[in-house]
Amino acid sequence: MTIRDLLRKESIQLNGTATGKNDLLDQMVALMAKGGNIADLETYKKGVYEREAEGTTGIGEGIAIPHCKSEAVSEPGLAAMVLPQGVDFDSLDGQPVNLVFLIAAPNTKDNVHLDVLSKLSVLLMDENFTTALRQARTVEEFLQVIDRAEALGKKEESAESVKVGYEILAVTGCPTGIAHTYMAAEALEKKATELGTTIKVETRGSGGAKNVLTGEEIASAKAIIVAADTKVPMERFQGKPVIQCKVADGINRAENLIKRAINGDAPIYHVNVDDESKREESHQKETSGFAHDIYTHLMSGVSHMLPFVIGGGIMIALAFLIDTLSGYGATGGGNFGTITPLAAFFKYAGGLAMGLMVPVLAGYIAYSIADRPGLAVGFTGGLLASSGNLVFNEGSYSWFMESQNGFIERFAFQGPTSGNTVSGFLGGIVAGFLAGYIVLLLKKLCSKLPESLEGIKPTLIYPLGGIFVISVLMCFIFNPLIGLINTGLSVMLTSISAAGMITLLGLLLGAMMAIDMGGPINKAAYIFGTGMLATASDLMANGAAATDPAVQACYIAMASIMVGGMVPPVGIALACQFFPKKFTKEERNSKVSNLVMGASFITEGAIPFAAADPARVIPCTLVGAGVAGFLSALFGCTLMAPHGGLFVFATVGNPLMYILSWAIGSVITAVMLGFLKKDVE
């Protein structure tokens, strides 16, 4: 059987077009049906989509190989399409797809067709082959390219000598076992040859294990690469250096894997248990590691938080736009965004959505760690982080304590210095991890309870105990620490302002806005700025002119704060545009919303990026925002409105230099992100 036996002329389309991934899949299924080998079209189509949901079949380099093994397939078949304009397919490398092969495999014991499909997968790793297919002018020419490549492959296969003793061994496997298994094998073999080493690859596809590694080969090998998303017998590798990774890494990171194997950069594999479930658990721990687990839990929270940030942020921006169009951009003051009824509605609804982002972040971090019982505890911890401690007013709660300086009043209600105790997204991250591990601890403590209590554990014991513990920790430890930070920062900023060091103040205020985006440092800077606006109003009420240096200093401080808060989302949006390999597809898709939020002085648009990679993102936003604040103060830019971003530029003094400061800071953030962030795998 050859590739031509599976690929009919009527199932090939050149110069194809598609509006998106789903449209392309639908067209490919229709092409496949023209071959007359699909008994149940809807069942087959459903199978194609289900396979795609498991992980993209866009392998990179403009190629996609969607496939399905199903009872709905009466005979094995192929369909092919060339798309000169390309289409977004969620590929592993993020690039558009312009060459697609759809595979239909029957669910039968006779797997002779799998050898043919594996040959096609291997051929698609050859750049000359795929280029020739893309350049084919007719269907006949397309088929001739395949015939020539297949014939050449047979000659090379027959001329290849049998190798004895391999320096590197590998195993590849994917859930379906049709395409990715063989493409990873081909990529590893090709790179091994280029790097001057010998390799044997065992493929574990739908037709079973092929080219199986022998005990003698394993004993003499320098290292073993296991690039598989399916279960692989690992006991045979006991005591050998083993690199374990996804099958996609075998395709896209083959060179790196071969180099690691050559250099001996692989942990020694140990099997310490005989029980199958325990062995699987051990395998999972080896492949992930604690740091990877932490990152996975964090990304669970970030991905669930992102829609709240984007949706709520844009609604708030619309509120500012509505008030601006209504003529209140320069006169709205502190009520800007809520002056007209429609604007007030958007600001209210958007504000509620934005208010949920920290609880959602914490809740889903806890959910990732402890499953569903962690949700309630995580949400509560996130609410405490975003809302701060309950402020004690004299006369209220008088039944609770007699001492005005009582311990509970001092720490749980006010914080240690009655400062602002909102800990923002950083506090939300802490709360999420605390909540998850608190629930895990409760599960362990309750494991010895009678079976009759199993039903009330998730509904009573875990939420009650978890919410109590997280509340104590946040109210008595983490939130009170925020009060100390806020008070110290306010004293520092006031001292710098009193000393007349306005450019240094601008630098600090701008940088502070970009560190924790709604947390204690950001809030301290913003509250200081609004306080300066109040001071300016008092000075002018007592006879000072708007041009008085003391009044101008107040407005300069507010200008530095707002430009510093506008830099992070815009800088990140620019980085997504010019350094796309540094960001996931979901992150790249948020660049437009980040531009809108940045222009609206909604710094929170940067939070998902900062939460996902704080060690690299926060220094970049801090430097860019600090430079913008410094330049704004240096140029003497002033601002008389406490919020609104671009929509209140009518109140900005020296607006051209203000925009220049904003642009320079944003570009600095983007360039630093391009250099510091690693490429997304």
Side-chain angles (χ1 to χ4, degrees):
M1 184 178 285
T2 65
I3 295 174
R4 280 289 298 270
D5 293 330
L6 302 182
L7 183 60
R8 296 175 174 84
K9 289 183 179 181
E10 55 267 28
S11 295
I12 301 172
Q13 182 175 343
L14 308 180
N15 299 314
T17 59
T19 58
K21 181 174 183 176
N22 289 350
D23 181 35
L24 177 57
L25 290 176
D26 291 345
Q27 290 188 48
M28 294 302 299
V29 170
L31 272 179
M32 181 67 75
K34 290 182 179 180
N37 57 325
I38 305 298
D40 186 337
L41 186 62
E42 286 304 315
T43 300
Y44 174 70
K45 180 178 177 180
K46 182 180 178 183
V48 171
Y49 273 88
E50 286 176 350
R51 168 59 188 90
E52 205 63 38
E54 293 176 5
T56 180
T57 56
I59 62 172
E61 304 297 334
I63 301 168
I65 314 178
H67 49 271
C68 171
K69 183 176 182 180
S70 171
E71 303 283 355
V73 180
S74 56
E75 294 180 11
L78 290 169
M81 184 183 292
V82 178
L83 301 99
Q85 303 303 318
V87 64
D88 187 6
F89 201 84
D90 296 327
S91 296
L92 294 172
D93 61 358
Q95 299 302 310
V97 159
N98 48 41
L99 178 62
V100 186
F101 276 90
L102 175 64
I103 297 172
N107 192 14
T108 61
K109 293 181 180 180
D110 179 13
N111 288 318
V112 65
H113 60 281
L114 292 178
D115 291 332
V116 180
L117 298 178
S118 68
K119 289 177 184 177
L120 172 64
S121 302
V122 169
L123 287 174
L124 289 173
M125 300 299 294
D126 185 341
E127 187 176 347
N128 294 328
F129 174 70
T130 55
T131 300
L133 290 178
R134 293 183 178 104
Q135 293 175 349
R137 298 176 184 175
T138 64
V139 171
E140 288 74 16
E141 186 178 340
F142 188 91
L143 290 170
Q144 287 171 8
V145 171
I146 294 175
D147 287 342
R148 286 196 299 268
E150 195 169 14
L152 181 61
K154 287 180 180 178
K155 288 181 181 179
E156 292 176 349
E157 187 177 333
S158 62
E160 189 177 284
S161 60
V162 178
K163 298 184 175 81
V164 178
Y166 299 89
E167 189 174 14
I168 301 170
L169 300 177
V171 182
T172 62
C174 68
T176 309
I178 293 177
H180 292 66
T181 300
Y182 305 103
M183 301 184 81
E186 173 70 7
L188 290 168
E189 289 171 350
K190 186 180 293 186
K191 286 301 176 183
T193 302
E194 290 177 8
L195 295 171
T197 188
T198 56
I199 188 172
K200 177 179 177 180
V201 184
E202 173 182 306
T203 55
R204 305 186 71 82
S206 291
K210 302 286 180 67
N211 211 27
V212 177
L213 308 178
T214 67
E216 184 180 354
E217 289 166 344
I218 294 170
S220 61
K222 187 173 184 179
I224 296 138
I225 299 168
V226 179
D229 295 335
T230 56
K231 192 173 180 181
V232 173
M234 298 294 293
E235 301 83 0
R236 51 189 169 154
F237 303 138
Q238 170 71 19
K240 299 294 294 185
V242 177
I243 300 170
Q244 299 183 65
C245 61
K246 302 181 210 175
V247 69
D249 290 339
I251 299 172
N252 298 292
R253 301 178 59 220
E255 183 173 354
N256 174 266
L257 295 172
I258 296 295
K259 285 181 177 179
R260 284 184 60 192
I262 293 172
N263 297 329
D265 179 17
I268 302 299
Y269 184 80
H270 293 291
V271 180
N272 298 319
V273 291
D274 294 326
D275 180 75
E276 189 64 28
S277 62
K278 289 183 179 179
R279 180 161 59 244
E280 183 66 21
E281 183 180 346
S282 175
H283 167 71
Q284 292 296 330
K285 288 180 179 178
E286 276 192 42
T287 55
S288 60
F290 180 72
H292 180 72
D293 289 344
I294 294 295
Y295 179 75
T296 301
H297 301 323
L298 181 60
M299 288 308 298
S300 171
V302 170
S303 62
H304 284 90
M305 173 184 70
L306 191 60
F308 293 89
V309 177
I310 294 174
I314 291 180
M315 287 193 71
I316 293 174
L318 289 173
F320 294 145
L321 176 62
I322 292 167
D323 270 0
T324 299
L325 295 176
S326 300
Y328 296 105
T331 60
N335 294 323
F336 183 63
T338 59
I339 298 172
T340 59
L342 185 59
F345 165 73
F346 276 97
K347 183 77 178 295
Y348 174 70
L352 287 177
M354 289 282 284
L356 283 171
M357 65 181 182
V358 173
V360 168
L361 171 67
Y364 279 96
I365 290 174
Y367 176 80
S368 179
I369 296 169
D371 210 350
R372 191 170 297 176
L375 266 178
V377 185
F379 271 111
T380 302
L383 279 170
L384 289 167
S386 62
S387 303
N389 288 4
L390 183 62
V391 176
F392 177 80
N393 295 315
E394 191 171 357
S396 301
Y397 311 106
S398 56
W399 52 270
F400 199 83
M401 75 287 291
E402 295 181 3
S403 171
Q404 183 66 20
N405 294 312
F407 178 81
I408 293 180
E409 176 192 345
R410 181 172 173 78
F411 287 93
F413 290 111
Q414 293 178 302
T417 56
S418 300
N420 178 19
T421 57
V422 173
S423 52
F425 92 90
L426 291 178
I429 292 173
V430 172
F433 281 102
L434 283 174
Y437 290 114
I438 286 168
V439 173
L440 288 183
L441 178 61
L442 288 172
K443 287 183 177 181
K444 190 171 184 179
L445 294 174
C446 297
S447 61
K448 303 297 183 182
L449 292 178
E451 288 188 14
S452 59
L453 297 178
E454 282 296 319
I456 67 168
K457 285 181 183 179
T459 57
L460 174 62
I461 298 175
Y462 299 152
L464 176 60
I467 289 173
F468 173 74
V469 174
I470 194 68
S471 301
V472 169
L473 291 175
M474 294 302 294
C475 289
F476 287 94
I477 298 177
F478 294 101
N479 281 352
L481 288 176
I482 305 308
L484 288 173
I485 294 171
N486 276 335
T487 302
L489 290 172
S490 297
V491 171
M492 177 193 71
L493 294 173
T494 302
S495 300
I496 294 172
S497 176
M501 294 183 284
I502 195 66
T503 52
L504 174 60
L505 184 65
L507 172 70
L508 291 174
L509 289 171
M512 288 170 67
M513 291 299 295
I515 295 176
D516 56 352
M517 296 109 175
I521 300 174
N522 173 286
K523 282 289 190 291
Y526 185 72
I527 291 170
F528 176 83
T530 55
M532 293 292 277
L533 289 182
T535 300
S537 298
D538 291 342
L539 290 171
M540 294 175 69
N542 291 324
T547 55
D548 187 279
V551 175
Q552 288 289 296
C554 295
Y555 292 147
I556 288 172
M558 190 65 230
S560 296
I561 289 167
M562 191 163 81
V563 78
M566 294 167 71
V567 162
V570 175
I572 287 170
L574 292 175
C576 288
Q577 177 65 35
F578 294 108
F579 306 101
K581 291 185 178 180
K582 308 290 181 178
F583 303 92
T584 65
K585 185 174 186 295
E586 186 180 31
E587 289 173 333
R588 294 196 302 273
N589 287 343
S590 70
K591 61 189 175 192
V592 174
S593 59
N594 262 293
L595 284 173
V596 173
M597 284 189 275
S600 308
F601 184 38
I602 302 172
T603 317
E604 287 84 354
I607 285 180
F609 297 83
D613 192 5
R616 294 181 180 88
V617 172
I618 291 177
C620 298
T621 58
L622 183 151
V623 172
V627 169
F630 171 80
L631 291 175
S632 174
L634 183 66
F635 296 144
C637 301
T638 59
L639 175 66
M640 293 181 284
H643 212 303
L646 195 64
F647 301 109
V648 293
F649 266 32
T651 68
V652 172
N654 205 359
L656 291 179
M657 301 311 292
Y658 196 60
I659 293 172
L660 179 63
S661 303
W662 179 25
I664 290 173
S666 300
V667 169
I668 288 173
T669 291
V671 172
M672 287 184 66
L673 285 168
F675 279 105
L676 293 183
K677 274 186 70 67
K678 294 181 179 179
D679 288 353
V680 172
E681 294 183 3

